[in-house]
């Protein structure tokens, strides 16, 4: 059975954009972790990751932890509905 998709023409609401803006430091930190992990994968083809590669990953992971804690402090813990 074929389903037809309904085109979405609505713009994001102001509160949606504000939520993205508030979460952006965490999103950027997670992208840094992803970038460091990709670098580790590529390093495997060139003699293996160096100590600097591992350090970059650890620092990126620490940034994620700090950003998540900061976001939680600013927004407060969320309760399940």
């Amino acid at each position: 059975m074929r389903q037809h998709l309904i085109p979405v023409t609505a713009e994001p609401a102001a509160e949606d954009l504000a939520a993205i803006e508030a979460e952006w430091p965490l999103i950027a930190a997670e992208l840094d972790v992803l970038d460091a992990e990709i670098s580790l994968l590529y390093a495997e083809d060139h003699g293996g990751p160096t100590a600097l590669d591992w350090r970059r990953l650890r620092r990126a992971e620490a940034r994620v932890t700090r950003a998540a804690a900061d976001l939680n402090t600013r927004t407060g813990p969320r309760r399940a509905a």
Side-chain angles (χ1 to χ4, degrees), residues 27-70:
I27 295 168
E30 289 174 338
L31 288 173
D32 288 342
V33 169
L34 181 62
D35 189 45
E37 290 173 341
I38 290 170
S39 294
L40 286 175
L41 291 174
Y42 281 128
E44 288 293 330
D45 294 336
H46 299 96
T50 64
L52 189 60
D53 293 327
W54 290 109
R55 182 178 180 185
R56 179 178 178 212
L57 178 62
R58 285 192 309 272
R59 285 185 173 194
E61 290 170 340
R63 276 194 300 277
V64 167
T65 302
R66 285 191 307 270
D70 183 51

Side-chain angles (χ1 to χ4, degrees), residues 1-2 6 10-13 15-16 21 26 32-34 39 42 45 47 51 54 60 62 66 71 73 76-77 80:
M1 181 182 290
R2 187 172 222 195
I6 299 171
E11 296 288 324
E15 58 266 358
D16 295 333
E21 185 70 27
L26 178 58
D32 288 342
V33 169
L34 181 62
S39 294
Y42 281 128
D45 294 336
W54 290 109
R66 285 191 307 270
L71 180 63
T73 300

